[in-house]
Amino acid sequence: MRRLMALDGEGRLTTDDVELTAEGLAVSQRTVWRWIERARSSDDLNEVARDHFVVTDLVRERLAFWRGNISAVHRELVEEAKSAGTVAVSRQTLQRAVERDVLRGDRAGLRHGEHARRAHDVFLQRPRTHRNEAWESDHVEAPVEVDVEGQLVKPWVTWFVDVGTNAVCGTAITPGAPSRESILAALRAAITLEAPYGPPGGLPERVRIDRGKDFLSNTVRSVLAGFAVRVVPLPAYTPHLKGTVETVNGAAAQMFFAGLPRYMGAQKLANGRPIDPAAPALTFEAFVTELLGWVRWWNTEHRMPVLDGMTPLQAWLDDPTPLNTVPTGDLRLLTMEDDGRTRKITTKGVSWRARQYVAAWMTGQVGRQVRLRHMPHHEHEVEVFDASTGKHLGAATLADMASSEQIGELRRSREARRRQLQADLRKAEKARRIRYAAVTTAAPPQPINTVTGAQATAELSDADDQQLQAVARPLLVPLRPPAPGWVLPRPPREKTSRAWFEDNGKEQDR
């Protein structure tokens, strides 16, 4: 417009100039002539063509109240304008204003929350680094049901991923919720270079983790500190700061878990039920085999554009950075939880958690001061060290450990008690449930449960008796009458006066 107005001031503005400008700006010639007329009447070339509706803070608040529903906000604006005697903006105007003044990510956040807003953010990518410069670790719940001793559970996967090469260095799978033991097992598999692990491995310079309490536990921190590995806990709810391991999580969900039987994200029927609810599940052993096979494929066959078409293993092997590793024997002992107390070998062995642990090498060493290390939740075996020198003495196993048959019977007994309690609680909740009649106008709720007077009296009587028996002392509350058909004991017969005198006379003769 400055160029056109300069030509207009010099008297050299022609229709060809207007046509050329309109073609370059992809607007009509009429629009350009309108701009020229507005500029001739005003010195401000940036003046807005006309006033337009602006989204205020109040409109944003109502938009958030109605969860991004523009039509609902427009209805409120119409009601306000009607009560004030003014004219409200049209719904199309409000729609254009929201699209112009509210960012796309903010609109998504107003509808679905923070996670939806983050989907429209731009994240920076860390520059490529050398191998073992940094690792990232995470837990991920596999969206697949597997068979674990007759029960369907969703296993958890813990892995360490090298940031420089995208190689999965170590993996651990647990049938239940992960813990410190899962992290230490995956860390041991990630560091070692011996078969069946490696070649990716060695000691990293730092490990980036989220703020899960198992990752921040003293056990994991002390183990990594013993290897001079720095732990970098990331802020909460910032998965983009550990994008390498999150990439592996997403790839596993789309490229591996989705192809397994009993995948939880599979297509559903119209009623929301799975297409094949009786589909056989993989055993836990088969699931672990398949998952480790996919990890091997990811490292050795999957070519990634971010690695210039190389596989993670190729990028790892081409990196000349020297590796720092730990001997296998020391690695196993160092990736354990320290008991932190000094104990003494007695004639019964070593006492830990009110249990006795014994080993053949303890013969002749009664009275020696020792310390214990163990894998979390693995209480059947501990490693024993000399308290003064730190020398590894050997392993000790739990004395009087129950057999596998006893453990199976105990597990079945616990399961039976759990099911009985669950059935009792379900019956109690069903008895507590109250159904109400549907209404078409505002009215107090009307219960529709049908209970006879006799049933209510009997239930209340049983409840009162149970409460009295729970708080009363024995022999202070009279027993209820016996049920019909019971045989009652015969009461003792009272003696007559003659029988009394006979008995009394016999007593005097004695």
Side-chain angles (χ1 to χ4, degrees), residues 59-384:
V59 174
R60 289 180 65 100
E61 179 183 346
R62 300 314 299 172
L63 195 62
F65 177 83
W66 288 108
R67 313 192 192 285
N69 190 336
I70 297 178
S71 298
V73 178
H74 180 257
R75 287 194 296 269
E76 287 190 347
L77 295 179
V78 171
E79 293 295 333
E80 292 177 1
K82 185 183 298 184
S83 60
T86 59
V87 179
V89 298
S90 64
R91 194 193 66 81
Q92 291 79 4
T93 301
L94 179 61
Q95 176 80 29
R96 288 193 298 268
V98 170
E99 294 178 355
R100 180 184 62 249
D101 299 338
V102 183
L103 298 178
R104 182 183 298 271
D106 292 344
R107 296 200 301 269
L110 292 174
R111 291 188 182 96
H112 306 292
E114 176 63 17
H115 287 285
R117 186 200 66 79
R118 289 187 180 184
H120 298 271
D121 286 348
V122 176
F123 302 102
L124 299 178
Q125 186 176 4
R126 287 192 177 94
R128 286 280 304 276
T129 58
H130 59 81
R131 64 183 181 183
N132 285 353
E133 190 274 336
W135 285 0
E136 292 177 357
S137 182
D138 195 16
H139 296 309
V140 59
E141 184 183 27
V144 177
E145 290 182 338
V146 301
D147 184 5
V148 178
E149 297 183 352
Q151 295 184 354
L152 295 178
V153 300
K154 290 188 290 185
W156 283 78
V157 182
T158 305
W159 35 36
F160 286 84
V161 183
D162 179 63
V163 175
T165 62
N166 284 44
V168 179
C169 300
T171 308
I173 305 98
T174 53
S179 63
R180 307 184 309 274
E181 185 261 346
S182 307
I183 301 174
L184 295 181
L187 181 63
R188 182 186 301 171
I191 295 176
T192 184
L193 298 176
E194 297 184 359
Y197 310 106
L203 289 176
E205 298 180 11
R206 61 180 57 86
V207 176
R208 286 193 284 265
I209 57 176
D210 57 17
R211 292 191 173 270
K213 66 178 183 179
D214 47 0
F215 280 105
L216 296 179
S217 63
N218 293 329
T219 301
V220 176
R221 185 168 58 251
S222 62
V223 168
L224 291 174
F227 294 133
V229 176
R230 188 160 60 94
V231 178
V232 183
L234 301 175
Y237 307 107
T238 55
H240 58 279
L241 296 181
K242 51 183 181 66
T244 304
V245 71
E246 293 295 342
T247 298
V248 176
N249 291 342
Q254 298 180 7
M255 306 168 67
F256 174 67
F257 296 137
L260 296 181
R262 301 197 70 88
Y263 173 59
M264 303 305 295
Q267 302 89 336
K268 299 290 193 303
L269 297 175
N271 56 6
R273 296 182 179 180
I275 297 177
D276 187 10
L282 290 176
T283 63
F284 179 71
E285 182 179 1
F287 173 80
V288 173
T289 302
E290 294 289 338
L291 177 59
L292 295 181
W294 181 83
V295 171
R296 191 179 306 107
W297 172 86
W298 172 272
N299 286 340
T300 60
E301 300 182 27
H302 181 51
R303 300 185 179 276
M304 307 181 66
V306 71
L307 300 177
D308 299 329
M310 294 187 297
T311 65
L313 181 59
Q314 287 177 338
W316 176 276
L317 296 177
D318 292 346
D319 195 325
T321 305
L323 300 178
N324 297 319
T325 186
V326 182
T328 305
D330 297 342
L331 178 63
R332 179 179 180 275
L333 297 178
L334 292 176
T335 53
M336 287 187 173
E337 184 173 311
D338 192 351
D339 177 65
R341 291 179 52 187
T342 300
R343 303 175 184 274
K344 183 184 294 186
I345 299 178
T346 65
T347 55
K348 297 181 180 179
V350 179
S351 177
W352 179 58
R353 294 184 178 178
R355 299 178 178 182
Q356 300 296 329
Y357 291 80
V358 296
W361 58 263
M362 291 184 180
T363 304
Q365 304 204 44
V366 174
R368 187 169 186 174
Q369 301 287 335
V370 296
R371 294 187 64 172
L372 305 180
R373 295 181 70 91
H374 66 97
M375 284 292 289
H377 312 296
H378 287 233
E379 299 183 357
H380 64 284
E381 185 181 34
V382 295
E383 299 292 340
V384 186

Side-chain angles (χ1 to χ4, degrees), residues 435-509:
R435 297 186 182 275
Y436 296 93
V439 297
T440 56
T441 58
Q446 298 293 331
I448 57 176
N449 292 57
T450 56
V451 180
T452 63
Q455 290 176 341
T457 303
E459 187 170 345
L460 291 175
S461 177
D462 293 340
D464 294 340
D465 291 344
Q466 292 177 2
Q467 294 178 358
L468 290 176
Q469 293 177 6
V471 300
R473 298 188 315 191
L475 303 180
L476 296 183
V477 177
L479 298 177
R480 297 178 58 184
W486 279 36
V487 178
L488 302 178
R490 180 178 301 175
R493 186 179 58 181
E494 296 184 358
K495 294 184 178 181
T496 60
S497 57
R498 179 179 178 181
W500 183 88
F501 280 112
E502 291 179 353
D503 293 344
N504 193 21
K506 295 178 180 179
E507 188 67 25
Q508 291 179 356
D509 293 340

